[in-house]
Amino acid sequence: MYDPKSMKAEEFISHEEILDTLAYAQENKNNEKLIDTILEKAKLRKGLTHREASVLLACEMPDKIQQIYTLAEQLKKDFYGNRIVMFAPLYLSNYCINGCVYCPYHAKNKHIARKKLTQEEIVKEVMALQDMGHKRLALEAGEDPVNNPIEYILECIKTIYSIQHKNGAIRRVNVNVAATTVEEYRMLKEAGIGTYILFQETYHKESYEQLHPTGPKHNYAYHTEAMDRAMEGGIDDVGLGVLFGLERYAYEFAGLLMHAEHLEAVHGVGPHTISVPRVKRADDIDPDAFDNGIDDEIFAKIIACIRIAVPYTGMIISTRESKEVRERALHLGVSQISGGSRTSVGGYCEEEPEDENSEQFDVSDKRTLDEVVHWLMDLGYIPSFCTACYREGRTGDRFMSLCKSGQIQNCCHPNALMTLKEYLEDYASPDTKKIGEALIQKELGNIPKEKVREITVHHLQEIEKGNRD
Ligand code: SAM
C-alpha cells in the first residue's frame, strides 16, 4: 500500500508503487503528448510527482531529452542564479561495525588502517581546511558505538566551532553519520549542526538487506525512517542521497522522489539537499562488481530530472566525479560542490603512506580548492562560501518558502559576492584573485536594488580593509 503520509518505510517507499511507476514510465516513454504536458507543468516551477518525473527519465526522444536539459538549466538559474556553494568533507573515524559490501570501512576489512582523530588532530585538520579557505564542512564517520559514540561526534563538533584560526571560524558543520535515535538527533541539533545527511544507498529493500548483510545498518526500516526521527529531534535540514550503481537507477530515482514527497507531506518541508554519489573504486571494493553502474549520459539525465522534479532542493556532487562530469552537472542542476577533498582520516595534514589506504573511495577530481574556485569563475559561476541562511535562521520550511517564492536570490547574491571577496583577500592565488575581482565588479551590476548594491559595495570595502564577519 502506498501512502506518502505513513510513517512506515515500506508504505511511503512502497515497492509496488515503484514498480507501477516504472511500468507507467516505460509505457509512456515515447508518449509525446504526455511528455509535453509534464514539461509544461514543470515550467510552472513547482516540481513534479515521482510518476511524472519518472516518465521524463525514461523518455527516449532526443528532442524531448534536449528540452529536459534546457529546462533543468533554466530552473537552476531561476532558483540558484550562478552561485555554487563550496564545502569539504572531514573524515573523523573509519571504525565501523557494519558490513556494507560497497564500502571499504566494512567491519571485515582487516587490511585497511583504522583511524580516529583525536581532538588535537581535529584542530590541525580544520586549520588545514581553513588555510585553504573552507568555511563549511561535512563530517563523515563510520558507525561504531564504542569508537565513535554520539558523545565523540558532539565533542568533535564543539571543537570545530571553537577554532578561531586566522580569518574566523568554520561557519557550518553538516553531519553524515549513521541513522540514530530521536534523542541523539536532538543532541546534534543542540550542537548547532547544519544539514543532517544520510544516504539511503538503495531504496530497494531486498537489495538493501543483501548489500548490508551485517550490523545495525542492516535494518531497512530504521535506516529509511531516519529522516523522520531527525525532524522529530528538531533538525530542520536533511539531505537525501542514493549510491548510484547498487540498484537500477530508475527504481532509485522513483524511491528518492517518493522519500522527498513523504517528508513534504508529513513535515511540511522537503529535503534541503539531494546528493548523487556513484560507487567508486576503493580498498577492497571493485565498482564493477555491482551490476547497475550508470554511464555519464544517464547520470546527467538523472541530475536534470531531479532538478526539474524538486527545483527548490539543493543538489550536491562530490569529488567522486571528474572535472568534466562535474562541469556538466553544474549546468544541469547541481548547486553545491566539494573542492580539495581528502577522503582519508587525517588526510588534510598528512599524505597517507602507500600501504595504509584509509580513503573511503578514490577521488576523481584531485584539484586544489584554488584551482576549483578559478575554474568555476572561468565558467561564469560565483563560488560561494556563504552560510548566512543558517546563521540568520533561514532553515527548514522558512528557507523552503523563501526559495519556492524565488526570494532567496535577493539576499544570496550579495552574500555570495562578499564571501567570495573574503576568499580572494585571504586565500586566493594572484591569478584567481585577479579574475575574482573582475567577476565581483561585473556581478555587482546584477544586484537589482540600488540600496542593496550600495550596502554590498560598502561591505566589500570593509572586507578589503581587513574587517571580517
Ligand atoms: N556511516 C554512515 C552511514 O552509515 O550512513 C555514513 C558515512 S559514509 C562515510 C558516507 C557515504 O559514502 C555512504 O553513505 C556511502 O553512500 C558512500 N560510500 C561508501 N562506499 C563508497 C564507495 N565505494 N564509493 C562511493 N561512495 C561510497
Side-chain angles (χ1 to χ4, degrees):
M1 189 197 114
Y2 171 54
D3 175 7
K5 280 206 163 150
S6 165
M7 298 303 276
K8 285 194 188 145
E10 282 178 65
E11 290 178 0
F12 65 80
I13 308 290
S14 151
H15 179 61
E16 289 68 37
E17 172 62 16
I18 298 183
L19 294 185
D20 201 54
T21 300
L22 299 193
Y24 174 73
Q26 281 304 312
E27 264 162 44
N28 288 293
K29 64 184 178 192
N30 292 316
N31 181 340
E32 202 170 341
K33 201 164 157 237
L34 178 67
I35 290 169
D36 282 343
T37 314
I38 296 173
L39 284 169
E40 280 312 306
K41 181 180 172 193
K43 285 181 193 156
L44 302 175
R45 315 192 317 167
K46 293 201 168 25
L48 296 175
T49 66
H50 62 276
R51 284 178 90 84
E52 293 162 341
S54 293
V55 174
L56 295 190
L57 186 67
C59 169
E60 285 176 341
M61 290 177 285
D63 59 324
K64 296 294 159 201
I65 295 176
Q66 194 44 53
Q67 283 179 34
I68 291 171
Y69 288 156
T70 308
L71 179 60
E73 194 160 353
Q74 188 57 48
L75 292 175
K76 160 86 192 298
K77 281 190 192 131
D78 292 349
F79 283 92
Y80 292 93
N82 55 349
R83 297 175 304 279
I84 303 294
V85 169
M86 308 301 301
F87 77 97
L90 174 59
Y91 281 76
L92 299 178
S93 165
N94 61 7
Y95 283 93
C96 193
I97 59 169
N98 285 314
C100 316
V101 302
Y102 49 82
C103 179
Y105 292 178
H106 69 83
K108 284 199 186 129
N109 187 353
K110 298 294 175 210
H111 45 87
I112 192 172
R114 299 286 170 178
K115 293 185 191 169
K116 169 186 168 180
L117 297 179
T118 63
Q119 298 309 305
E120 291 70 36
E121 286 166 336
I122 286 176
V123 172
K124 287 190 195 144
E125 286 281 288
V126 172
M127 283 188 183
L129 282 157
Q130 287 179 306
D131 284 340
M132 290 182 210
H134 279 295
K135 304 283 185 208
R136 187 189 271 247
L137 302 182
L139 300 190
E140 308 281 340
E143 179 166 16
D144 185 328
V146 173
N147 286 298
N148 326 322
I150 191 72
E151 291 72 21
Y152 170 71
I153 306 290
L154 295 172
E155 195 186 357
C156 296
I157 296 169
K158 200 168 163 198
T159 300
I160 295 168
Y161 277 135
S162 71
I163 301 167
Q164 287 289 335
H165 176 54
K166 285 186 188 160
N167 311 301
I170 291 292
R171 295 172 180 158
R172 180 170 172 126
V173 176
N174 297 334
V175 174
N176 181 0
V177 296
T180 186
T181 58
V182 174
E183 197 189 353
E184 293 197 353
Y185 284 125
R186 198 161 285 128
M187 293 177 184
L188 287 169
K189 165 74 183 173
E190 278 159 18
I193 69 161
T195 310
Y196 171 66
I197 300 164
L198 181 70
F199 299 160
Q200 177 64 30
E201 322 298 9
T202 174
Y203 282 96
H204 190 288
K205 183 169 184 275
E206 218 178 290
S207 300
Y208 181 96
E209 288 169 353
Q210 283 165 11
L211 291 159
H212 307 95
T214 54
K217 195 163 169 178
H218 177 71
N219 187 334
Y220 175 84
Y222 190 73
H223 190 80
T224 312
E225 292 159 12
M227 294 315 194
D228 295 291
R229 292 193 301 280
M231 286 188 155
E232 200 184 325
I235 293 177
D236 301 322
D237 293 341
V238 297
L240 303 181
V242 153
L243 187 53
F244 284 102
L246 301 180
E247 245 300 337
R248 284 162 300 161
Y249 71 87
Y251 191 101
E252 305 294 22
F253 178 81
L256 185 65
L257 293 183
M258 284 162 74
H259 200 173
E261 285 165 16
H262 162 73
L263 296 176
E264 180 105 36
V266 174
H267 306 281
V269 48
H272 187 67
T273 55
I274 289 181
S275 300
V276 287
R278 287 194 280 188
V279 184
K280 296 284 299 180
R281 189 166 300 283
D283 181 77
D284 218 29
I285 307 295
D286 174 5
D288 296 335
F290 304 97
D291 295 335
N292 295 297
I294 48 172
D295 63 23
D296 294 348
E297 207 47 50
I298 294 289
F299 189 55
K301 205 170 169 200
I302 292 171
I303 291 171
C305 290
I306 294 176
R307 173 48 62 236
I308 291 175
V310 282
Y312 38 82
T313 297
M315 223 192 295
I316 303 177
I317 199 164
S318 74
T319 54
R320 286 178 184 86
E321 300 298 338
S322 66
K323 172 184 164 192
E324 291 70 27
V325 170
R326 300 214 302 167
E327 181 166 334
R328 189 155 182 218
L330 287 169
H331 280 294
L332 297 175
V334 162
S335 56
Q336 289 191 28
I337 66 168
S338 45
S341 304
R342 298 276 191 286
T343 62
S344 53
V345 179
Y348 292 107
C349 285
E350 278 173 32
E351 279 286 320
E352 275 211 315
E354 279 279 306
D355 56 338
E356 284 205 354
N357 197 11
S358 76
E359 275 185 351
Q360 201 195 11
F361 49 80
D362 285 357
V363 163
S364 295
D365 188 343
K366 293 185 195 298
R367 291 172 296 167
T368 63
L369 181 63
D370 190 73
E371 285 166 337
V372 173
V373 167
H374 192 298
W375 163 74
L376 285 173
M377 295 192 299
D378 276 344
L379 295 173
Y381 293 109
I382 308 172
S384 170
F385 295 85
C386 180
T387 51
C389 284
Y390 170 63
R391 278 179 294 155
E392 288 168 22
R394 289 196 300 265
T395 59
D397 57 354
R398 205 160 153 239
F399 173 84
M400 283 301 171
S401 52
L402 276 170
C403 196
K404 284 178 190 170
S405 68
Q407 280 305 306
I408 209 87
Q409 276 202 63
N410 292 335
C411 43
C412 287
H413 190 72
N415 273 330
L417 295 183
M418 288 186 276
T419 60
L420 174 61
K421 176 75 176 171
E422 286 180 353
Y423 175 83
L424 298 178
E425 290 291 320
D426 298 337
Y427 309 102
S429 63
D431 197 30
T432 302
K433 187 168 180 187
K434 194 170 148 208
I435 65 161
E437 293 293 352
L439 179 75
I440 290 175
Q441 286 314 311
K442 179 172 153 254
E443 290 292 341
L444 275 172
N446 292 333
I447 300 175
K449 284 192 184 151
E450 202 184 324
K451 186 81 197 146
V452 180
R453 206 178 319 133
E454 277 168 24
I455 295 171
T456 309
V457 169
H458 171 73
H459 282 306
L460 290 172
Q461 286 163 349
E462 288 298 309
I463 292 167
E464 206 163 304
K465 282 187 213 153
N467 292 329
R468 292 291 172 274
D469 178 5

